[in-house]
Amino acid sequence: MYNKYRSLNPKILAIGGGTGLSTLLKGIKNYSSDITAIVTMADDGGGSGVLRRSFGMLPPGDVRNCLLALSDIEPEMNTLLSHRFEKGELKGQSFGNLFLLAMNEIYGSFEEAVKMASSILRVKGTVMPITVNDVNIEATYDDKSKAFGESILPAEAIKDNKKIKRVELCPKDVEPLDGVITAINKADIILIGPGSLYTSIIPNLLVKGVTEAIISSPAKKIYVQNVMTQHGETDDMSVKDHVGAIFEHSDKIFDSIIINNKVLSEDLKKKYQEEYQEQIFLTDGDKKFLEEEAIDYIEGDCLDSGDYARHDSEKLANMIIDYYIRTRRVKTYEK
């Protein structure tokens, strides 16, 4: 896909997990061939959790999604790797997860499995697990109670009508995969999010050395605010609350934020309200907070037009690159 900014080919590093990260990658791959996706490894639910418990491998789901987002394969192969079985003992399992399981057993490590899968799938860029350590998440709620395991944290909050206040990695002293810190240091653009705040974004920042590397990096650092709140995880949280939670767990690690301002259709809004989810918009209070923190905010329509409340990959990528070009030009001119 041609675009006028492709010749710049900035080094882009995206940190996150879940569907948010893969959605982001689908758009930005049209602007750069030098992309690194750093993926959380704390997932213990769904098909990934089953393989993690049964085979002792790292969770493959988020890595699989990122590989497919950056791949250059025929649509039929993408459909195959995305296929989920509907019956029997494999019900709910993804064929792509099983593909990574096989690669893990053949090559003896998850790191090598991802590298070989990237070659086979003709991935445009690099997908890296944040760590190859066996890691989980423990949450502390506002009533001081605790829960262990990424997949149950929102459910526990919903069950007892409480809120997550803090998360920690278990074990706490988790080492990053070789190459993660180097990739952060070399990046021109560092993208944080979108994704589940406490289970996809913050856990990456708790891995040893990651926050410090982001802070010291000269890259343009951009946080992509989620379109919606997530029931059991970010109920009633504003832009300020999201940013505050990230900074409290790490430090002031970004200098700009992208926020969707397109309103959902009434039908879609009603659907999500029934699931206790609300759109996140920038309020006057948020603006005041961001200005006090010297954080640029970029508002615009980056909402997908389909049946789900999520980012549109191409719109979001356009906003990111346009902002990067605009601020890059200012810096060049000032020199």
Side-chain angles (χ1 to χ4, degrees):
M1 179 179 179
Y2 171 79
N3 66 70
K4 61 184 178 179
Y5 295 144
R6 187 60 189 261
S7 61
L8 289 170
N9 205 41
K11 294 180 176 65
I12 301 176
L13 182 132
I15 303 176
T19 57
L21 180 57
S22 57
T23 297
L24 172 67
L25 296 175
K26 289 175 185 176
I28 62 171
K29 72 178 181 181
N30 296 317
Y31 294 86
S32 175
S33 61
D34 196 340
I35 297 171
T36 301
I38 306 296
V39 187
T40 181
M41 285 289 104
D43 187 6
D44 67 351
S48 287
V50 170
L51 296 182
R52 186 176 182 180
R53 291 186 293 274
S54 300
F55 294 93
M57 73 179 295
L58 292 173
D62 288 351
V63 166
R64 179 202 73 233
N65 286 334
C66 291
L67 289 172
L68 293 178
L70 291 175
S71 67
D72 182 21
I73 54 178
E74 296 300 318
E76 292 80 10
M77 179 61 89
N78 196 307
T79 300
L80 173 63
L81 291 167
S82 300
H83 175 73
R84 287 190 180 276
F85 297 93
E86 298 180 355
K87 298 178 181 178
E89 293 182 3
L90 290 178
K91 183 177 181 180
Q93 190 58 261
S94 160
F95 181 77
N97 284 356
L98 298 181
F99 169 66
L100 285 171
L101 170 63
M103 299 293 279
N104 187 70
E105 293 196 346
I106 291 169
Y107 292 101
S109 77
F110 192 69
E111 180 183 0
E112 287 302 313
V114 174
K115 287 180 181 178
M116 293 307 299
S118 297
S119 176
I120 292 169
L121 299 176
R122 300 197 300 273
V123 168
K124 297 179 178 178
T126 303
V127 177
M128 303 174 70
I130 186 77
T131 182
V132 289
N133 296 158
D134 184 20
V135 62
N136 285 286
I137 305 174
E138 182 179 69
T140 301
Y141 298 90
D142 55 0
D143 65 353
K144 305 244 174 91
S145 64
K146 295 179 183 289
F148 182 84
E150 179 265 350
S151 60
I152 71 165
L153 303 189
E156 285 293 307
I158 293 168
K159 184 185 71 171
D160 296 328
N161 192 29
K162 55 191 178 184
K163 292 187 176 183
I164 299 172
K165 299 304 290 183
R166 190 159 190 88
V167 291
E168 294 181 333
L169 297 182
C170 298
K172 292 182 180 180
D173 197 19
V174 176
E175 294 285 344
L177 176 71
D178 288 344
V180 166
I181 302 302
T182 299
I184 293 172
N185 292 338
K186 290 182 176 180
D188 298 313
I189 304 172
I190 295 175
L191 303 172
I192 301 164
S196 299
L197 180 65
Y198 289 107
T199 53
S200 290
I201 295 176
I202 290 175
N204 290 306
L205 307 175
L206 301 179
V207 173
K208 190 175 179 180
V210 169
T211 287
E212 292 79 6
I214 294 173
I215 291 170
S216 62
S217 168
K220 177 59 65 177
K221 304 154 197 174
I222 305 170
Y223 170 53
V224 182
Q225 174 66 61
N226 292 337
V227 171
M228 308 291 294
T229 58
Q230 184 175 346
H231 190 35
E233 191 157 343
T234 57
D235 297 275
D236 303 318
M237 288 182 67
S238 64
V239 171
K240 176 182 176 181
D241 294 333
H242 280 76
V243 173
I246 292 172
F247 287 179
E248 286 169 12
H249 282 81
S250 54
D251 206 323
K252 186 177 177 181
I253 57 168
F254 52 82
D255 44 36
S256 47
I257 180 171
I258 287 179
I259 304 152
N260 169 68
N261 64 5
K262 177 71 177 294
V263 180
L264 293 175
S265 68
E266 287 302 316
D267 287 344
L268 204 51
K269 188 186 300 184
K270 182 178 179 181
K271 171 188 171 183
Y272 277 92
Q273 284 175 341
E274 290 171 353
E275 298 173 1
Y276 304 99
Q277 292 181 267
E278 300 284 346
Q279 269 195 277
I280 301 171
F281 293 115
L282 192 63
T283 66
D284 289 341
D286 294 326
K287 290 179 181 179
K288 182 179 179 182
F289 167 76
L290 295 174
E291 288 166 358
E292 290 173 348
E293 293 290 330
I295 297 172
D296 290 342
Y297 52 87
I298 309 100
E299 285 186 281
D301 172 12
C302 49
L303 185 68
D304 187 84
S305 59
D307 296 330
Y308 296 94
R310 60 188 177 192
H311 288 96
D312 178 281
S313 298
E314 185 58 30
K315 289 179 184 177
L316 180 57
N318 269 308
M319 288 179 70
I320 290 167
I321 298 301
D322 283 348
Y323 176 71
Y324 171 68
I325 294 298
R326 190 167 69 250
T327 55
R328 177 176 177 269
R329 283 175 178 165
V330 168
K331 289 182 177 181
T332 301
Y333 175 78
E334 288 175 347
K335 288 180 180 178

